[in-house]
Amino acid sequence: MIIKSLRWLLPCLILAGAYGGYTAIASTGPETSEEEVKNTLPIVTVAPIQSSDYKVVITSHGELQPVEVTQLSAQVSGEVISWHPNFVVGGVVKRGEVLFSIESDNYQAAVLQAEAQLASAKANLIEEKAKAEVAKRQAKRLPEKQVTDLYLRKPQVLSASAQVKSAQAELKRAKRDLENCKIVAPYDALVVSRDIGVGQFITAGAHVATLNNVEAGEVHIPIAGFDSAFLPKNYAGLDARVIQRGISNVEREGKIERDLGVVDSSTRMINVVVSVADPYAIDSSAMPLKFGSYVEVQFVGKELKHIYRLPQELVNNQQVWVVNDKGELEPRKVNVLRAEKEFMLIGEGLFDDDQIVLTVPEYPQKGLLVDVNVAENVMTH
C-alpha cells in the first residue's frame, strides 16, 4: 500500500521541483525594461518647419541676339580708296568711326561749283533789290495807276530770291554727298559681312556690309503656362540674371523690356524680351556674351505668402510624413504650388512647428510609433 502511494507521489514531487527551479531561474534572469522596448522602435529624424513669404524665381532659356541689324549701303558712287582695319568679318567698330572712304575729288568739285552758283545767285538778288529800290523812289513822282508790281520789280526780286534758295539747296546736297564719301559706323557694331575692297567701284545704294548693334542685345525667353501664373502684373523693367553655363559660367545683368504681345500658336506660350547692355563688354571689364549664345535667364516673380519649402525627396505623390504629438507617423496631403529645382513650394496641408520626417522608414504606416531624433535646424527657406 505504501509503495503504491509513493508511485503517485513521486511524479508530483518531480513537477513541483521543476516548477520551483523555473521560478528561481526566471527570478534571477534579466528583466525587459521599458527603455529596451523603446529601442526596438524605428528611429526617424525630424525637423520642425516654419512658413515664410517667398518670392518665386522664374527660369527660362533663350538665344542672345542683336537688338538691331543694319544692311549697310553706300549713298554715293565712287571708288573705294581705304577702309578701317577693324572693318572685317568679326571685327568690332565704335560708333562714329570711318568704316571706309570713297574717292571724293568729284564731290569736292561739286561743292565748289555749288558755292559759286550760290554766290552768283546772291549777287543777282542784291542787284535786283537795288533796282527795286530805285524804282520805288521813282514811283513817288508817277501817278498811282502807273505804279505796278512789274514797275517796282517785285517779280524779279522774288525770282532772284528763289535762285538763291535753289543754290543753297544744291550746296547742301553737294556737301552731304561729300560727307557721304566717308561711311561711318552708326553705332558700336560687330561686322557680320563685308562685300567691298580697296579699288572697287561701288554705286549708290549698293549693299556693302551687314552690321550687328553690340550696344545692346536681347533674349526672347518663352514663359510656360505653369510659370505664367507667377508673373508679376507689371514685369517690364524687372532686373534679370543672364547666365551662360559652361566650364566657367558667364553671368551678366539684364532687364525685362516687354513681351511680344502674342501667344505662340504652336507652344501656347508667351515670349518675354530681356535686354542685355553692352553684351560684348566693349565699355566694361565684364565677360563678353556673344550673339548666338544659349543662355539661362532668371528673374523674380510674385511673392507667395505663408509658404513651406521642402526638398523634393520628402514629397511623394503630394504627401508628406510628420510625427504627431503621440510620437506616431502621420501622412499629410499637401498642395504643391510649384517645383523649383530640388525644392517643392507647399501652400496647404502643413502647419508651423510640424515635425517633418526627414528619414522615412522603409515601410511607413499611419500610426506607427517611432523614436524621434530632432535635427538642429528649423526648416525654412
Side-chain angles (χ1 to χ4, degrees):
M1 184 70 178
I2 295 174
I3 296 173
K4 186 175 182 180
S5 297
L6 290 174
R7 184 181 301 171
W8 289 100
L9 183 61
L10 184 61
C12 293
L13 292 174
I14 293 173
L15 288 175
Y19 177 76
Y22 169 77
T23 302
I25 294 173
S27 62
T28 59
E31 295 184 357
T32 302
S33 66
E34 182 179 347
E35 183 178 351
E36 289 177 340
V37 173
K38 185 176 179 181
N39 289 338
T40 63
L41 297 178
I43 300 175
V44 297
T45 302
V46 300
I49 191 169
Q50 292 289 334
S51 65
S52 58
D53 298 339
Y54 182 76
K55 291 183 178 180
V56 173
V57 177
I58 296 176
T59 302
S60 188
H61 299 81
E63 181 180 308
L64 181 66
Q65 55 191 1
V67 173
E68 187 176 8
V69 178
T70 298
Q71 304 295 329
L72 194 64
S73 299
Q75 293 182 278
V76 295
S77 300
E79 180 185 349
V80 177
I81 58 174
S82 65
W83 49 269
H84 193 286
N86 287 347
F87 187 49
V88 292
V89 176
V92 176
V93 291
K94 298 283 288 182
R95 177 191 290 264
E97 288 184 338
V98 177
L99 300 180
F100 65 95
S101 299
I102 295 175
E103 196 277 324
S104 61
D105 289 350
N106 290 338
Y107 298 100
Q108 291 175 347
V111 170
L112 294 175
Q113 186 176 2
E115 289 175 342
Q117 289 176 350
L118 177 59
S120 176
K122 286 182 176 179
N124 185 45
L125 177 60
I126 293 171
E127 182 179 351
E128 287 298 335
K129 284 182 177 180
K131 290 179 179 179
E133 188 64 30
V134 171
K136 184 177 180 181
R137 289 197 299 268
Q138 292 176 347
K140 294 178 180 179
R141 299 192 295 269
L142 297 175
E144 186 177 346
K145 292 182 179 181
Q146 293 183 8
V147 180
T148 62
D149 288 346
L150 185 60
Y151 181 82
L152 295 175
R153 302 189 68 83
K154 290 184 178 180
Q156 291 87 339
V157 173
L158 288 175
S159 178
S161 179
Q163 289 176 1
V164 170
K165 291 182 179 179
S166 177
Q168 288 175 334
E170 190 62 32
L171 177 59
K172 186 176 182 179
R173 188 180 299 111
K175 287 183 176 180
R176 184 203 63 191
D177 288 345
L178 180 60
E179 290 176 356
N180 288 337
C181 289
K182 294 184 181 295
I183 289 77
V184 299
Y187 40 68
D188 293 350
L190 170 71
V191 181
V192 178
S193 68
R194 192 196 75 188
D195 302 329
I196 60 169
V198 173
Q200 181 177 343
F201 185 89
I202 57 176
T203 58
H207 178 269
V208 295
T210 300
L211 304 179
N212 283 353
N213 189 338
V214 296
E215 294 179 351
E218 62 182 23
V219 186
H220 294 189
I221 56 172
I223 303 297
F226 55 82
D227 277 334
S228 298
F230 300 100
L231 283 175
K233 184 176 182 180
N234 297 313
Y235 47 81
L238 287 179
D239 292 332
R241 295 172 60 208
V242 179
I243 307 167
Q244 182 184 22
R245 302 289 184 183
I247 297 176
S248 58
N249 294 341
V250 177
E251 182 173 334
R252 299 290 297 275
E253 295 298 322
K255 189 175 293 292
I256 298 178
E257 293 291 334
R258 65 192 186 281
D259 61 51
L260 297 185
V262 295
V263 176
D264 189 283
S265 59
S266 58
T267 63
R268 311 313 303 172
M269 298 183 187
I270 64 171
N271 285 273
V272 172
V273 179
V274 178
S275 66
V276 181
D278 191 21
Y280 279 68
I282 295 175
D283 298 320
S284 71
S285 59
M287 292 295 293
L289 277 178
K290 295 184 178 181
F291 295 139
S293 300
Y294 189 70
V295 296
E296 177 182 302
V297 179
Q298 298 178 356
F299 62 94
V300 176
K302 287 183 177 179
E303 184 177 35
L304 304 178
K305 302 293 185 179
H306 307 297
I307 295 301
Y308 300 95
R309 187 166 177 257
L310 297 181
Q312 287 197 18
E313 63 267 17
L314 300 183
V315 184
N316 187 15
N317 293 327
Q318 296 195 341
Q319 179 178 282
V320 174
W321 288 95
V322 301
V323 175
N324 60 24
D325 295 339
K326 299 177 182 179
E328 300 172 342
L329 286 182
E330 179 183 328
R332 290 281 183 83
K333 196 71 174 178
V334 295
N335 178 26
V336 178
L337 297 178
R338 176 180 171 81
E340 278 193 1
K341 295 184 178 179
E342 68 271 21
F343 292 97
M344 293 284 194
L345 303 184
I346 309 299
E348 297 176 354
L350 295 175
F351 303 95
D352 287 352
D353 297 323
D354 271 346
Q355 303 293 315
I356 300 296
V357 178
L358 305 182
T359 55
V360 181
E362 186 174 359
Y363 300 105
Q365 294 180 0
K366 181 178 180 180
L368 177 66
L369 285 171
V370 292
D371 187 9
V372 173
N373 179 24
V374 181
E376 294 183 359
N377 297 327
V378 177
M379 295 188 65
T380 64
H381 68 78

